[in-house]
Amino acid sequence: QAMAARLKAAGFTDDEITLTGPNPKSQNLVVRLRGRGTRKPVLFIGHLDVVEALRKDWTTDPFKLVEQDGYFYGRGTMDMKDSDTALVVSLIRLKRAGFVPDRDIIVALTDHEEDGPDNGVYWLLENHRDLIDAEYCINPDCGHGELKDGQPIVLELQTAEKTYLTYQFEVTNKGGHASLPEKDNAIYTLAAGLQRLAAYQFPIELNETTQRYFERTATRETGQTKADMLAVAKDPPDLAAAARLSESSIYFNALLRTTCVATMLSAGHAENALPQTARAILNARLLPDDSIESVTATLKKVVADAEIKVTRRDDHIVSPRSPLRPDVFATVEKLATARWPGVVVIPTMSPGASDGTFVRMFGIPTYGVSGTFLDVDDNRMHGKDERIGVKEFYDAVDFMTDLMKALTE
């Protein structure tokens, strides 16, 4: 409602602004700067909700914007009220300047990030696709820049995300009295299967984005790491080089393969009874080109024990990679290098997820880029005293205005 009021004050009309949601307390704002209709619209998205923060843990009040020592402090300053602000300010600037884009520019500010069909961008796509249908989407929640010693060095352009899937391993047993232990123990059987999983690695699999990621990241590296990145970027990739990169960095490992890790355990019902049930919950992060059938079959093969029941606990969201569009990449690179000389623009695939997963799932290619530069040695997103540099914030707003205009001229 606050953003709708600002947009109306800037000249947007009621038929260009929509407030809608599944109930009065869960609303989403969609605003459209109308263009000439030469091409299909471009969609920009941003979630308005933030993660919880405990006032007692913070140096400042997390729910008040505080400017101090060259930073803006407050929950959401990095994730992602900074980018929401940039989207609204950019629209207002273009409107007041009389800019008429060659296509409609749509901005959707949404509730409940990654909340599935109940609300947010998923709800809009499922219930009001006409409001936000577009040729492609820009998602400023991803694609941040990296600051090293105060200097911008890298700007990411995210084109893909790994998808989230939960599995359960379960062993059942007749149990018995703990004074009469047997070798057939549900906990031991489960533990042995988990040990086999811990020793296993899914095969290395690169795609267009990760190949370009290593190719461009190599320009900032030296020695063996640089050589390995260049070798991985070849077609076919050097598997020995990929193995070394996997060992040297958990991030590189996550980019190179599907992963599955145990995250929760439960077993037994009494301290003096043999366990009748032992369960483990596992979190899998699938590469965009991997299939649920392949991952499930692999897990069953790895645990190698018919007594361990492997089941999937949720539905898998199929979210394909977005093609690395030359026009989008070239525009981002041109604007970034002009504003931050020496910055390298690097395509990325996120090990985690954002609302971009849903937009891609509904068939709209999505590109994560924000122009917000964050200190690689002091990233406080979701943490105590979340903050963003004042200069970095204003630079990101200007960058978003330039990007919004350049993509629609």
Side-chain angles (χ1 to χ4, degrees):
Q1 290 171 343
M3 292 302 96
R6 285 183 178 269
L7 290 160
K8 287 180 181 179
F12 285 88
T13 60
D14 287 342
D15 69 334
E16 294 171 322
I17 298 172
T18 302
L19 281 171
T20 184
N23 61 69
K25 290 189 176 181
S26 296
Q27 295 284 292
N28 307 279
L29 168 70
V30 180
V31 56
R32 184 181 294 255
L33 179 62
R34 299 196 185 280
R36 298 190 299 275
T38 306
R39 294 183 286 173
K40 199 171 179 180
V42 176
L43 170 66
F44 294 77
I45 62 171
H47 65 83
L48 291 170
D49 54 311
V50 299
V51 300
E52 189 52 86
L54 298 178
R55 295 174 188 269
K56 64 183 179 67
D57 292 343
W58 279 53
T59 305
T60 63
D61 185 336
F63 299 110
K64 290 183 179 179
L65 184 65
V66 176
E67 183 176 351
Q68 181 176 294
D69 303 326
Y71 292 92
F72 286 126
Y73 287 82
R75 175 57 88 222
T77 49
M78 297 169 69
D79 185 18
M80 61 169 292
K81 293 189 184 294
D82 59 322
S83 292
D84 295 333
T85 304
L87 293 176
V88 173
V89 168
S90 296
L91 267 186
I92 290 174
R93 285 175 174 175
L94 296 178
K95 183 75 168 179
R96 287 177 172 166
F99 176 68
V100 180
D102 70 345
R103 60 173 92 193
D104 287 3
I105 299 172
I106 306 169
V107 170
L109 300 181
T110 61
D111 189 22
H112 287 249
E113 179 198 14
E114 301 173 44
D115 202 27
D118 293 335
N119 198 17
V121 74
Y122 193 122
W123 185 88
L124 284 172
L125 287 160
E126 195 166 57
N127 295 278
H128 295 281
R129 173 69 178 257
D130 58 305
L131 285 176
I132 61 173
D133 196 28
E135 182 179 353
Y136 60 85
C137 171
I138 300 296
N139 178 20
D141 196 22
C142 306
H144 298 101
E146 294 181 4
L147 281 177
K148 184 68 175 177
D149 299 325
Q151 296 299 313
I153 54 174
V154 164
L155 180 63
E156 298 175 342
L157 178 66
Q158 188 237 50
T159 67
E161 300 175 1
K162 297 178 81 172
T163 52
Y164 183 110
L165 195 58
T166 302
Y167 283 94
Q168 176 178 281
F169 289 1
E170 183 180 56
V171 179
T172 56
N173 191 286
K174 67 182 185 301
H177 202 288
S179 66
L180 299 171
E182 301 182 35
K183 290 185 178 180
D184 181 16
N185 184 297
I187 291 177
Y188 298 160
T189 300
L190 178 63
L194 292 174
Q195 281 295 103
R196 288 190 286 274
L197 177 65
Y200 176 77
Q201 285 189 315
F202 281 82
I204 289 165
E205 184 180 341
L206 280 89
N207 55 50
E208 176 190 31
T209 294
T210 49
Q211 281 183 317
R212 290 284 296 275
Y213 169 85
F214 284 111
E215 181 183 76
R216 290 209 159 213
T217 303
T219 63
R220 299 170 42 232
E221 298 292 342
T222 58
Q224 186 65 55
T225 299
K226 180 174 184 175
D228 285 343
M229 286 183 172
L230 291 174
V232 162
K234 293 180 180 178
D235 189 16
D238 185 314
L239 297 185
R244 285 191 293 271
L245 290 171
S246 295
E247 288 294 321
S248 68
S249 165
I250 56 175
Y251 180 70
F252 294 159
N253 182 65
L255 291 183
L256 286 165
R257 54 169 51 89
T258 288
T259 60
C260 186
V261 61
T263 55
M264 298 175 69
L265 281 171
S266 62
H269 61 282
E271 64 182 42
N272 61 348
L274 299 176
Q276 293 172 212
T277 306
R279 296 187 184 93
I281 302 300
L282 301 99
N283 182 242
R285 301 292 175 126
L286 277 63
L287 292 170
D289 298 326
D290 216 340
S291 73
I292 183 174
E293 295 79 15
S294 172
V295 172
T296 303
T298 297
L299 291 177
K300 290 179 179 179
K301 183 177 180 180
V302 170
V303 298
D305 192 331
E307 289 189 41
I308 302 175
K309 184 180 179 182
V310 178
T311 56
R312 179 166 47 91
R313 286 171 55 111
D314 50 15
D315 292 328
H316 180 224
I317 292 174
V318 178
S319 183
R321 288 183 292 112
S322 300
L324 193 54
R325 289 179 62 121
D327 56 342
V328 174
F329 188 90
T331 300
V332 170
E333 188 170 51
K334 179 181 178 181
L335 295 176
T337 53
R339 184 170 295 277
W340 301 287
V343 159
V344 180
V345 178
I346 296 178
T348 62
M349 177 185 70
S350 297
S354 75
D355 278 340
T357 294
F358 299 138
V359 184
R360 291 187 182 99
M361 181 182 75
F362 277 84
I364 301 176
T366 301
Y367 303 92
V369 61
S370 72
T372 301
F373 280 78
L374 308 176
D375 191 333
V376 295
D377 299 315
D378 186 29
N379 189 332
R380 303 186 185 188
M381 193 177 295
H382 290 197
K384 175 185 175 182
D385 293 343
E386 182 180 349
R387 68 183 188 178
I388 184 173
V390 172
K391 180 181 184 303
E392 283 70 35
F393 166 72
Y394 286 114
D395 281 349
V397 173
D398 291 342
F399 174 81
M400 185 55 66
T401 303
D402 292 344
L403 180 63
M404 198 175 278
K405 184 177 180 182
L407 293 175
T408 60
E409 286 183 312

